[in-house]
Amino acid sequence: MTFSSPGGDASATRFRIGTAHCDLIACVLVREGETHRLEPRLAGVLHLLARRGISPVTRDEFLETVWEEDGSDEALNQAISRLRRLLGDASLIRTLPRIGYSLSAPVERAETLPNPAPTSPFQAWLRTGLGFIQRPFLTGLAVGVLVTALLASVFWPRTLEQEFEIFTGELDEVGVTLPDETE
């Protein structure tokens, strides 16, 4: 069942757009076997787009409905950009200059979400590792810590050996004279 007309089913919370399956009650989007959490405002933007289908939603409607008083054009732009990435096809959300946004594909009702693809422990570890690499701040921090630890392990023992050498012999043997107490 398609509800992409202007008078679509506003109560529909599970639907499919392109290859992405959405459940707005659970705030999740499943695409290609991967489940992505949707923040409440992101889910609100997606719900408003799905309710309208191919009919446009104005920027003001998004800001009034989803953000209420806290909204800004920049927040809406970021939400649309993130949704395009999550949907896997940027062309699914059309930008209508000076109007707003609309979907370019029909929205189909879905009763259930697809089951995520089974993964082996290695695949799960690999996805986690690749996700870490895609975050430049965390990657830079990890590399910095590793380099610091490596440099410390190379230079630290030598420094300690030089600074804490204990002399156990007599002072006269090494040519050290102490000042006379009478002076």
Side-chain angles (χ1 to χ4, degrees):
M1 174 182 188
T2 302
F3 61 98
S4 59
S5 64
D9 183 3
S11 65
T13 58
R14 286 191 184 127
F15 50 89
R16 185 173 68 83
I17 302 172
T19 60
H21 290 77
C22 308
D23 183 343
L24 297 179
I25 298 211
C27 288
V28 295
L29 182 141
V30 179
R31 185 177 58 86
E32 296 176 358
E34 291 192 35
T35 302
H36 304 275
R37 298 280 308 149
L38 296 174
E39 294 128 18
R41 288 186 173 158
L42 204 57
V45 170
L46 186 57
H47 189 226
L48 196 52
L49 283 168
R51 282 191 347 213
R52 291 288 183 81
I54 57 173
S55 298
V57 181
T58 67
R59 296 178 76 79
D60 290 338
E61 286 178 275
F62 279 118
L63 295 175
E64 289 172 14
T65 306
V66 178
W67 278 270
E68 297 172 354
E69 298 160 4
D70 302 339
S72 68
D73 284 339
E74 183 61 29
L76 177 59
N77 293 342
Q78 289 177 3
I80 294 292
S81 176
R82 178 120 191 264
L83 275 177
R84 285 176 171 152
R85 281 194 309 273
L86 290 174
L87 292 171
D89 183 359
S91 67
L92 289 174
I93 300 176
R94 288 186 301 174
T95 301
L96 305 169
R98 298 186 184 157
I99 298 173
Y101 299 96
S102 72
L103 293 176
S104 62
V107 177
E108 299 173 6
R109 187 183 283 249
E111 295 303 319
T112 60
L113 294 178
N115 291 330
T119 59
S120 69
F122 175 74
Q123 289 173 326
W125 175 81
L126 187 60
R127 276 194 195 134
T128 303
L130 291 177
F132 181 75
I133 291 171
Q134 293 173 352
R135 294 180 179 95
F137 173 77
L138 293 177
T139 304
L141 181 64
V143 169
V145 168
L146 287 174
V147 168
T148 303
L150 179 66
L151 289 173
S153 69
V154 169
F155 294 111
W156 188 275
R158 291 182 186 156
T159 305
L160 287 177
E161 288 173 6
Q162 292 173 358
E163 290 181 10
F164 295 107
E165 187 175 313
I166 299 174
F167 179 72
T168 57
E170 292 292 324
L171 292 177
D172 291 338
E173 291 177 13
V174 287
V176 176
T177 58
L178 296 174
D180 193 13
E181 293 180 14
T182 59
E183 293 179 8

